Amino acid sequence: MISQGVRLLIIGGSDAGISAALRARELEPRSEVTVVVADGYPNFSICGLPFYLSGETPDWHSLAHRTTDEIIDQGIALRLNTFARAIDPERQVVGVVDQAGVSADLPYDRLIIGTGAEPAPPAIPGADLPGVFRLHTMDDSFALNAWMTQRQPASAVIVGAGYIGVEMADALTHRGVAVTLIQRGSGVLTTIEPELGQIVETELRRHGVSVVTNAAISAISQNDEQLAAITVGGERMAGDLILLATGVRPVTALATSAGVQLGETGAIRVNRAMETNLPDVYAAGDCVETWHSLLECPVYLPLGTTSHKQGRVAGENAVGGHRQFMGTFGTQVVKVFELAIARTGLLTAEARANGYDPLTIAVSAWDHKAYYPGAQRLDMRVTGDRVSGRLLGAQIVGHWRAEVAKRIDVFATALANRMSVDALSDLDLSYTPPLSSPWDPVQMTAQAWVSAWRAEQKK
Amino acid sequence: MISQGVRLLIIGGSDAGISAALRARELEPRSEVTVVVADGYPNFSICGLPFYLSGETPDWHSLAHRTTDEIIDQGIALRLNTFARAIDPERQVVGVVDQAGVSADLPYDRLIIGTGAEPAPPAIPGADLPGVFRLHTMDDSFALNAWMTQRQPASAVIVGAGYIGVEMADALTHRGVAVTLIQRGSGVLTTIEPELGQIVETELRRHGVSVVTNAAISAISQNDEQLAAITVGGERMAGDLILLATGVRPVTALATSAGVQLGETGAIRVNRAMETNLPDVYAAGDCVETWHSLLECPVYLPLGTTSHKQGRVAGENAVGGHRQFMGTFGTQVVKVFELAIARTGLLTAEARANGYDPLTIAVSAWDHKAYYPGAQRLDMRVTGDRVSGRLLGAQIVGHWRAEVAKRIDVFATALANRMSVDALSDLDLSYTPPLSSPWDPVQMTAQAWVSAWRAEQKK
């Protein structure tokens, strides 16, 4: 490490910012690391908000990956409830203002921008009415929880059936609220292919969620206490509260006003070392573009796992390291009621749009030998390239206790090593009848793919 | 495929033999495939016997990977209850005799030997007394089950605390039998390191199993109905039945009498194409040596997963294919009561004995975010090479529903791709709070290893 007593300033106290701070301190104990945190909740697990709101995680304090004291014990200075107003890259200072309105200029040798993302609610009339919520910060979740505790709503309308939408449909159902889930497109969870999305939709309905698809929202209206989401077609979905879960966008204004360039996706452009175009200024997490290892181009794909990795790389490089962010394969998993839904790599359409010639095969397999009690069906899809035989992606939907997530991780590890689909059969995977089969379902799916591929070639 | 109407004869109807037959028929529908099966139970899951005996799998028929009809439907001829007596490699015929004593000479163009393994019980007085059992075949399990059904034994002594021993300790306990488990060495399950073996021993004791270690058996005696295993030290462990689970040895007499060479391990020597030294004669499964991908030498390591892979390779090559068996990493998992115990790659001592400079790090981590209900501790060990930084192996013990097995499979997939321990941090693994952490425990362990390795280098 070259840097002796480097002053590292980090804007943002969520996954990327704290990962960067910890990594810098781990590698360079002489570094002076300060993290500017907009609220009072550094290093909180935003992915855990649905479980706080469902009641499964009763104490919000436990959502912290680390306590404030644990962070400080690592030699990291925290400036909580402090807002970064301006970056001056010439003077290498960041102007901040705290809760009391006191301003300060914080000098830096290296700066890491981790300003994250913010909800992107639809720009429609009524989106700011009382009883209309977003869910992105601890304060958002406190506001929603307080409303629910006070009003005891009987019904809710959730707009958007992405991860937050389906998780909150589960969470509010768990709390006894009747949920209507509205999706603009033709199915829920567009991160997986429609055939698997159907299984998730069935699971939602099985637990009493009313799923409405092909319904874009044009307005929100209020009638006494009841709210209603109004679709473009004029239909009204009424509920005691409305949650807008229509995705997020990167928070970039602070960066751009200092001259930091954005990429085509609208997020901050960084190289694989997490450097921006400005000297000594890095960026990481939900505010940046992410290198996609299969597409070999930057994408905007804000995920907690990626934020941790990017923050760690930025923190290492900010104190003189030379680590590269190795890229994402878009690996994701979500639990909805009894199902886990996981994917890695590309969907068929994504692969086709990016110059591959994808073949996708669907296989249904038991998670373990059916003669041992409790076997569950796994609905699996694997995508490979017809030209090269290379693995391009996989999707699995199945019972959440059926090792769905770690099976996707076997595929993700294979993707990282550019394996062919056929080579999955050679993997020495573990087997005992309560947990798998002599050919794991990962391999059964791969073998079905190779058979179908060969059959095509014989035609 | 070069072979038109090739006559493929396979000796052995367990994992390797049936896998070979299925693969040959899949790739070469014109091939004439005959499987000689010593008993009436082709393609049965021998790994499932403990669950039949525990009562968790009440119907033994369900232990079949495929029914006899399903095998025949694939165009495979089965000769059940038929014993192969001699191979004549000159004339390319195998002499067999069936249950009725009728002999036949079966001609072949290609032969696959899949004679499997047999129990290797200690050569001690009393080992053949009534009430003393082995467990390797369906008939073995029927005999034990009949004895238990008739006699309703209250107690059992199991000799050997390998996989079969610990699984049967679980199974007999499940059935209400008081179990004493005797192990020659100082701990149970020597396939994992002693620190983890201790956790398994605690789990066995917690469920009422009496575990006796450092106890070699010198004799078995009978006193009226009661049997007793007598140790070298003279101690007597009494039980209503005794199960000898002291490992297996390859069945090779048929092969050697035909001129097939064995390797140094005592199992049949094969190359990576599963060819023996005799022309047109292949061998696969528990009767052969297995290429170890990390040791880069043959070992004797009979496992169902390996048998399936080797059989598939032999079947493919026997009909003109050119597939190589890619080798084992010794990946294994076993469930004992509430625990799954998994490993892949090398233990520390094995790595050291084979020229590596191993560093092993132990980490205890939650299987998922502790704020979500039901989190379980995983006791993990990762071994890497100090010289190269390369991953050499991993072991995990944890609750059997905590994705232990598939986490080992992530390590196994990394081993197959010769990844460094450090590179595990770059893997894009899946995360949702009910199923993992932003850094999966696999990656937490890898990071702890890299930190320890770097700390050593700084000294």
Side-chain angles (χ1 to χ4, degrees):
Chain A
M1 296 293 147
I2 56 167
S3 310
Q4 199 156 354
V6 62
R7 289 172 304 181
L8 171 58
L9 185 63
I10 298 169
I11 303 171
S14 193
D15 294 344
I18 299 296
S19 293
L22 291 166
R23 185 63 170 164
R25 289 288 305 163
E26 176 193 351
L27 294 179
E28 186 44 83
R30 292 165 298 185
S31 60
E32 296 172 22
V33 178
T34 303
V35 184
V36 176
V37 186
D39 60 20
Y41 311 103
N43 209 204
F44 267 67
S45 176
I46 296 305
C47 301
L49 299 184
F51 310 108
Y52 167 56
L53 291 162
S54 74
E56 290 159 290
T57 302
D59 180 4
W60 61 266
H61 295 89
S62 66
L63 292 179
H65 288 305
R66 285 166 198 78
T67 65
T68 301
D69 283 347
E70 285 169 336
I71 297 167
I72 293 169
D73 282 349
Q74 296 300 314
I76 296 165
L78 290 174
R79 287 191 166 240
L80 302 184
N81 299 301
T82 299
F83 184 69
R85 291 197 293 192
I87 301 166
D88 182 339
E90 296 298 319
R91 291 171 50 228
Q92 306 222 130
V93 296
V94 172
V96 301
V97 58
D98 70 12
Q99 235 174 346
V102 179
S103 296
D105 274 358
L106 305 182
Y108 67 81
D109 298 316
R110 304 283 157 77
L111 176 67
I112 298 175
I113 300 171
T115 42
E118 63 188 357
I124 53 171
D128 292 320
L129 283 170
V132 180
F133 294 91
R134 294 125 183 87
L135 187 60
H136 192 68
T137 64
M138 291 304 294
D139 284 332
D140 289 343
S141 68
F142 294 146
L144 176 52
N145 195 50
W147 177 281
M148 290 184 67
T149 304
Q150 286 162 25
R151 312 262 181 139
Q152 298 291 325
S155 62
V157 176
I158 299 175
V159 181
Y163 284 152
I164 297 289
V166 296
E167 285 185 321
M168 284 303 297
D170 178 334
L172 295 182
T173 302
H174 192 93
R175 202 153 156 173
V177 178
V179 174
T180 300
L181 180 63
I182 307 179
Q183 167 75 345
R184 179 202 296 253
S186 59
V188 303
L189 278 188
T190 54
T191 49
I192 50 173
E193 292 183 346
E195 295 84 346
L196 296 182
Q198 272 300 326
I199 298 170
V200 182
E201 202 171 314
T202 300
E203 178 73 355
L204 287 160
R205 293 189 202 280
R206 189 169 77 88
H207 286 85
V209 176
S210 171
V211 180
V212 182
T213 53
N214 296 306
I217 300 302
S218 60
I220 295 171
S221 71
Q222 190 169 24
N223 185 352
D224 293 334
E225 291 293 288
Q226 272 255 308
L227 294 154
I230 303 168
T231 69
V232 171
E235 203 178 346
R236 298 166 60 87
M237 322 275 174
D240 296 333
L241 69 85
I242 292 180
L243 177 67
L244 298 175
T246 48
V248 298
R249 61 191 168 214
V251 174
T252 59
L254 176 71
T256 54
S257 68
V260 172
Q261 288 175 358
L262 305 184
E264 286 181 19
T265 66
I268 295 172
R269 178 189 294 164
V270 288
N271 61 18
R272 305 280 287 278
M274 306 315 295
E275 296 167 331
T276 69
N277 60 301
L278 296 183
D280 298 322
V281 179
Y282 301 77
D286 289 357
C287 62
V288 307
E289 294 189 333
T290 292
W291 182 256
H292 196 294
S293 300
L294 271 168
L295 300 179
E296 299 187 338
C297 70
V299 296
Y300 184 60
L301 188 58
L303 291 169
T305 47
T306 303
S307 293
H308 276 81
K309 288 188 182 73
Q310 292 177 333
R312 189 169 185 262
V313 169
E316 179 161 346
N317 292 341
V319 295
H322 301 282
R323 192 152 184 133
Q324 298 265 308
F325 171 65
M326 295 305 285
T328 182
F329 291 93
T331 312
Q332 303 163 53
V333 63
V334 64
K335 175 182 176 293
V336 181
F337 295 110
E338 298 299 308
L339 290 182
I341 301 110
R343 71 168 278 191
T344 187
L346 304 179
L347 306 184
T348 315
E350 292 169 342
R352 189 175 295 117
N354 284 280
Y356 294 104
D357 184 3
L359 170 65
T360 297
I361 291 296
V363 168
S364 173
W366 293 111
D367 73 313
H368 65 258
K369 291 304 297 184
Y371 61 73
Y372 187 85
Q376 299 283 351
R377 297 302 291 186
L378 300 175
D379 282 289
M380 312 190 49
R381 293 172 81 81
V382 66
T383 302
D385 183 31
R386 282 192 177 89
V387 178
S388 62
R390 183 179 167 192
L391 176 67
L392 295 177
Q395 305 157 63
I396 312 178
V397 174
H399 193 277
W400 72 291
R401 304 302 289 271
E403 305 203 85
V404 166
K406 296 300 118 188
R407 287 190 161 105
I408 272 296
D409 288 352
V410 172
F411 281 115
T413 306
L415 281 173
N417 289 285
R418 304 177 71 91
M419 289 180 74
S420 69
V421 180
D422 191 30
L424 293 172
S425 284
D426 296 322
L427 290 175
D428 185 18
L429 305 181
S430 59
Y431 163 54
T432 185
L435 291 168
S436 186
S437 287
W439 298 107
D440 188 81
V442 167
Q443 297 173 309
M444 294 181 200
T445 312
Q447 290 174 9
W449 188 93
V450 173
S451 292
W453 185 44
R454 289 206 175 126
E456 279 190 352
Q457 290 169 328
K458 280 187 187 161
K459 278 178 194 164
Chain B
M1 298 292 145
I2 56 163
S3 310
Q4 200 155 355
V6 62
R7 288 172 306 181
L8 171 58
L9 185 63
I10 299 168
I11 303 171
S14 193
D15 294 346
I18 299 296
S19 293
L22 291 167
R23 186 63 170 165
R25 290 288 305 163
E26 177 193 351
L27 295 178
E28 186 43 85
R30 291 164 301 183
S31 59
E32 295 172 23
V33 178
T34 303
V35 185
V36 176
V37 186
D39 60 19
Y41 311 104
N43 208 204
F44 268 68
S45 177
I46 296 305
C47 301
L49 298 184
F51 310 108
Y52 166 56
L53 290 162
S54 73
E56 290 160 291
T57 302
D59 179 3
W60 61 266
H61 295 89
S62 67
L63 292 178
H65 289 305
R66 286 167 199 78
T67 65
T68 301
D69 284 348
E70 285 169 336
I71 298 167
I72 293 171
D73 282 349
Q74 297 299 314
I76 296 164
L78 290 174
R79 285 189 166 243
L80 301 184
N81 298 300
T82 299
F83 183 69
R85 291 197 292 192
I87 301 166
D88 183 338
E90 297 298 319
R91 291 171 50 227
Q92 306 220 134
V93 296
V94 173
V96 301
V97 57
D98 70 13
Q99 236 173 344
V102 179
S103 296
D105 274 0
L106 305 181
Y108 66 82
D109 299 316
R110 305 283 157 77
L111 175 68
I112 299 175
I113 299 171
T115 42
E118 62 190 359
I124 54 171
D128 292 319
L129 283 170
V132 180
F133 294 91
R134 295 123 180 88
L135 187 61
H136 192 67
T137 63
M138 292 303 295
D139 283 332
D140 289 343
S141 67
F142 294 147
L144 177 51
N145 195 51
W147 177 280
M148 291 185 66
T149 303
Q150 287 162 22
R151 310 262 182 140
Q152 297 291 329
S155 62
V157 176
I158 299 174
V159 181
Y163 285 152
I164 296 289
V166 297
E167 285 185 321
M168 283 304 298
D170 178 334
L172 295 182
T173 302
H174 192 93
R175 204 155 154 173
V177 178
V179 173
T180 301
L181 180 64
I182 307 180
Q183 166 75 344
R184 176 201 297 254
S186 60
V188 302
L189 278 187
T190 55
T191 48
I192 51 173
E193 292 182 347
E195 296 84 346
L196 297 182
Q198 272 300 328
I199 298 171
V200 181
E201 203 171 314
T202 301
E203 178 74 354
L204 287 160
R205 292 189 203 280
R206 190 169 76 87
H207 286 84
V209 175
S210 171
V211 181
V212 182
T213 54
N214 296 307
I217 300 302
S218 60
I220 294 172
S221 71
Q222 191 169 24
N223 186 352
D224 292 334
E225 292 293 289
Q226 272 255 311
L227 294 154
I230 303 168
T231 69
V232 172
E235 202 176 349
R236 299 165 58 87
M237 322 273 174
D240 297 330
L241 69 86
I242 292 181
L243 177 67
L244 299 176
T246 47
V248 297
R249 61 190 167 216
V251 174
T252 58
L254 176 71
T256 54
S257 68
V260 173
Q261 289 175 356
L262 305 183
E264 286 181 21
T265 66
I268 295 172
R269 179 189 293 164
V270 288
N271 62 17
R272 306 281 288 278
M274 306 313 297
E275 295 167 333
T276 69
N277 60 301
L278 296 185
D280 298 323
V281 179
Y282 301 78
D286 289 357
C287 61
V288 307
E289 295 190 332
T290 292
W291 182 257
H292 196 293
S293 300
L294 271 168
L295 301 178
E296 298 186 339
C297 69
V299 296
Y300 184 60
L301 188 56
L303 291 169
T305 46
T306 304
S307 293
H308 276 82
K309 288 188 183 72
Q310 292 177 333
R312 191 169 184 262
V313 169
E316 179 160 344
N317 293 342
V319 295
H322 301 283
R323 194 156 184 130
Q324 298 266 311
F325 172 64
M326 296 305 285
T328 183
F329 291 92
T331 312
Q332 302 163 56
V333 62
V334 65
K335 175 183 176 293
V336 181
F337 295 111
E338 298 300 309
L339 290 182
I341 301 110
R343 71 168 278 193
T344 187
L346 303 179
L347 305 185
T348 315
E350 293 169 340
R352 190 173 296 117
N354 284 278
Y356 294 104
D357 184 3
L359 171 65
T360 297
I361 291 296
V363 168
S364 174
W366 294 109
D367 73 312
H368 64 257
K369 291 302 298 181
Y371 61 71
Y372 187 85
Q376 299 283 351
R377 297 304 289 185
L378 300 176
D379 283 288
M380 311 189 52
R381 294 173 80 83
V382 67
T383 302
D385 182 33
R386 282 192 178 88
V387 178
S388 63
R390 183 179 167 191
L391 176 67
L392 294 177
Q395 303 157 63
I396 313 177
V397 174
H399 192 278
W400 72 291
R401 305 303 289 273
E403 304 202 86
V404 166
K406 295 300 117 189
R407 284 188 163 107
I408 273 295
D409 288 351
V410 172
F411 281 116
T413 306
L415 282 173
N417 289 286
R418 304 177 71 93
M419 289 180 74
S420 69
V421 181
D422 191 31
L424 293 172
S425 284
D426 296 323
L427 289 176
D428 185 18
L429 305 182
S430 60
Y431 162 54
T432 186
L435 291 168
S436 186
S437 286
W439 297 109
D440 189 80
V442 166
Q443 297 174 309
M444 294 181 198
T445 312
Q447 290 173 10
W449 188 92
V450 173
S451 292
W453 184 44
R454 290 211 174 122
E456 280 189 352
Q457 288 169 329
K458 278 187 189 160
K459 275 180 196 161

